[in-house]
Amino acid sequence: MAQAARPVLGLGLFRGPVPIVLRSLGLRGTCRSRSNRQAQPLQSHPPRRPVRAPSTEPDLNSFALRTHTCGELCTAHIGQEVRLCGWVQYQRQGIFIVLRDFDGLTQIVIPQEKSAAHLKKILCELPLESVIAVTGTVIPRPPGQANLEMPTGKIEVQMQNAEILNRCRKLPFEIKELVKKSEALRMQFRYLDLRSSQMQYSLRLRSQMVMKMREYLCNLHGFVDVETPTLFKKTPGGAKEFVVPSMEPGKFYCLPQSPQQFKQLLMIGGLDRYFQVARCYRDEGSKPDRQPEFTQIDIEMSFIDQARIRKLIEGLIEYSWPEEKGDIDTPFPSMTYADAMDSYGVDKPDTRFGMKIVDVSEMFRNTEISFLRNALSCPRGAIRMISVADGVDLTFVTLQPDGTWKSAISKFLTDMEKSQLCHITNIQKGDVLILAAGDWTKANAALGKLRLECADILESRGVTLRDPGIFNFLWIIDFPLFLPKEDNPEEFESAHHPFTAPHPDDIHLIYTEPNKVRSQHYDLVLNGNEIGGGSIRIHNMELQKYVLETILKEDSGLLSHLLEALDSGAPPHGGIALGLDRLLALIVGASSIRDVIAFPKSFRGRDLMSKAPDYVSPEELNPYHIQVNWPTEMHEDNDKS
Ligand code: ASP
């Protein structure tokens, strides 16, 4: 067939995430030669800012039965004999095969000679996603047929031979970005979903970031990577734990919510600086974007204070930050818990946009508007407000308790009140003010939620408020040590966990007014998401016992091992854990942490591929002395994601 008649394959097909895979390796658009693939030696001291891991180029073909990946050939390879292995992404008109592997796509030209008719027939009949090895020669694409969107788009491989390594059966979905598939289907056939360039990118980026974190912590700063047990026991406070049967009648292990106690024990054991890529387990049922098992970058240090831990984490994130995501500024700003609640109504504010909550109580002290007056007369009553720029399209209608509908309160506002409002909120034409009157905490929480909902609505109408390319890190500090329990506000629970130390300035209040004690707890927030949290710990046994028994009303006997350890020469210590899944999801712009986990559970905590959790027969339960108490009604509900 004449060259000019050949269809140009792949235009448009190669756009999108495939080049990103290369970018993540820092290799985009370059013709990669093996000579520069040596890992660069690590610096023994952190270099001056910006502190970023040196980029290394691994040898992607070492040990493999191929000479090159499907993403690396370029004009410099023209004339070379190569062997590529991969999956058949496209096959067209008996002329081309597009071969895919983790690194990209290469166009293969099927030989058209009569002597190769048998090979051609086999290849043409081969189902997509079959696995083949191709040997051939790298040749330039004919004039005018280069695909500049594609890293390998200037060349193709003239096939000499092909080996069918495995035929593929008919698949439930095609491995193409444009083919939409439900999340349930993606999870059921996760091994297929993992072939997508987006999943490949996310998992590779995850691996690279963890690698750089290890380098930073262990090689540059002397942290010790210690694996702590995952069979542990039930401990007080915190999230619900997964229970694991043991063969001792009535005795159970629990999967740890985090290695918290172990990392403190490691400090008492003199390890000085600990780090672990730690798997944590929380049986929290169906919560959006939570996983029953998830990963933390878990850190603990002896002889440390808050400021130094914050600095360590800023350095860690800067060092491991993906180059293609631009620079991040350190130090990260900080905000007190009180200020966050006051201005944003939440303890994890998204500071990429304004719409801060302001207090307008004073200007309504003498108002004629009765519901405002009533709100102000209550203890802790307040009138709070947000101003939504260009929010004129939002419609707020109130259904009164008497059943009548009411719109704005504007006709009841005096001129004086209007001009004060303009002054306080700097309202412009087309803006909307949303006002909440009532208990300070409730009014603020409501406005905090409305602020985010308004942002959602405005963004659905094309206004960009939260640029996904901007990464606003923020420390939240000075949390209260205790909060009233949600189900019983008379009792206290820890705002972080029971091991968190009180703020040194408030320590005396712990015995008199524990509700007023601030803690040495800090959270790291990124674009409105909590991505980490930690604290300086209580290292004094008496204080720890007092907090557990007297304030939290917990059975301190369950923690006798920790109390004894604290009494055995525990150094002052503190730490933090970063939520790796959430951090990754924000970096890659994934809407769910499931997209950065290789084998996530569904919304209901199930593995839709293997169908875990699964039944165990009564005989198998016997050694555990367990019998199932079957509910009278059982629903086999469909898990959609
Ligand atoms: N263990 C804590 C958590 O999982 C983090 C810490 O305090 O270091 O939230």
Side-chain angles (χ1 to χ4, degrees), residues 259-261 275 349 421 559:
Q260 184 61 38
Q261 290 182 48
F275 140 81
L421 273 181
L559 287 168

Side-chain angles (χ1 to χ4, degrees), residues 257-261 263-264 280 282 294 296-300 496-497 499-500 521-523 530 532-537 574-578:
Q257 305 167 27
S258 81
Q260 184 61 38
Q261 290 182 48
K263 65 177 175 171
Q264 290 192 234
C280 305
R282 297 185 189 170
F294 60 96
Q296 289 186 340
I297 301 296
D298 199 38
I299 287 170
E300 196 75 9
H496 186 42
H497 54 53
F499 315 113
T500 300
H521 157 199
Y522 32 83
D523 269 357
E530 184 197 323
S535 58
I536 298 299
R537 325 297 183 189
I576 190 165
L578 297 180

Side-chain angles (χ1 to χ4, degrees), residues 235-509:
T235 51
K240 235 171 110 201
E241 289 149 323
F242 283 98
V243 168
V244 182
S246 83
M247 297 217 187
E248 282 190 68
K251 289 200 175 171
F252 294 85
Y253 298 102
C254 277
L255 301 181
Q257 305 167 27
S258 81
Q260 184 61 38
Q261 290 182 48
F262 290 108
K263 65 177 175 171
Q264 290 192 234
L265 292 164
L266 287 171
M267 294 305 103
I268 299 168
L271 263 287
D272 194 66
R273 345 187 120 190
Y274 142 93
F275 140 81
Q276 182 180 190
V277 181
R279 190 56 67 86
C280 305
Y281 305 87
R282 297 185 189 170
D283 191 3
E284 296 187 322
S286 319
K287 283 204 181 165
D289 220 25
R290 295 255 174 115
Q291 284 281 305
E293 52 181 316
F294 60 96
T295 307
Q296 289 186 340
I297 301 296
D298 199 38
I299 287 170
E300 196 75 9
M301 293 177 87
S302 296
F303 311 109
I304 193 75
D305 61 18
Q306 271 200 63
R308 286 176 166 84
I309 288 191
R310 297 213 300 260
K311 210 160 174 209
L312 169 89
I313 296 303
E314 286 159 1
L316 173 71
I317 292 184
E318 195 169 42
Y319 189 86
S320 55
W321 192 252
E323 218 169 291
E324 67 259 33
K325 297 291 168 186
D327 285 336
I328 49 168
D329 288 334
T330 57
F332 303 149
S334 63
M335 186 184 290
T336 64
Y337 171 85
D339 286 348
M341 296 308 285
D342 191 51
S343 301
Y344 297 95
V346 284
D347 61 1
K348 44 180 182 186
D350 191 337
T351 51
R352 283 173 301 173
F353 68 106
M355 264 194 231
K356 286 196 205 172
I357 303 173
V358 291
D359 195 287
V360 288
S361 308
E362 273 322 301
M363 57 166 286
F364 286 111
R365 277 286 163 225
N366 302 315
T367 182
E368 295 294 307
I369 305 169
S370 61
F371 83 92
L372 297 183
R373 224 180 29 236
N374 293 346
L376 285 176
S377 65
C378 299
R380 285 182 52 81
I383 303 171
R384 318 274 300 165
M385 184 173 266
I386 54 173
S387 158
V388 186
D390 295 321
V392 76
D393 288 348
L394 308 172
T395 318
F396 292 96
V397 181
T398 322
L399 179 58
Q400 295 286 100
D402 64 5
T404 58
W405 291 95
K406 202 168 182 180
S407 64
I409 53 167
S410 54
K411 60 183 165 204
F412 302 109
L413 291 175
T414 63
D415 286 347
M416 174 72 160
E417 285 165 345
K418 282 182 191 159
S419 91
Q420 278 181 326
L421 273 181
C422 288
H423 180 69
I424 292 176
T425 61
N426 196 21
I427 188 169
Q428 309 288 317
K429 283 192 183 133
D431 296 356
V432 160
L433 293 179
I434 304 176
L435 188 142
D439 172 74
W440 190 96
T441 311
K442 287 188 184 153
N444 254 35
L447 286 179
K449 278 192 193 135
L450 273 171
R451 176 177 174 268
L452 294 175
E453 269 163 36
C454 288
D456 285 345
I457 297 171
L458 289 174
E459 284 181 344
S460 71
R461 293 175 188 178
V463 183
T464 306
L465 285 177
R466 296 168 292 191
D467 183 345
I470 290 180
F471 295 95
N472 272 13
F473 286 94
L474 175 70
W475 289 107
I476 304 294
I477 54 169
D478 289 353
F479 278 82
L481 187 55
F482 307 111
L483 288 170
K485 274 191 182 165
E486 255 175 47
D487 49 355
N488 181 4
E490 300 301 300
E491 289 182 10
F492 286 121
E493 63 187 3
S494 302
H496 186 42
H497 54 53
F499 315 113
T500 300
H503 194 291
D505 296 346
D506 297 351
I507 199 148
H508 57 287
L509 294 170

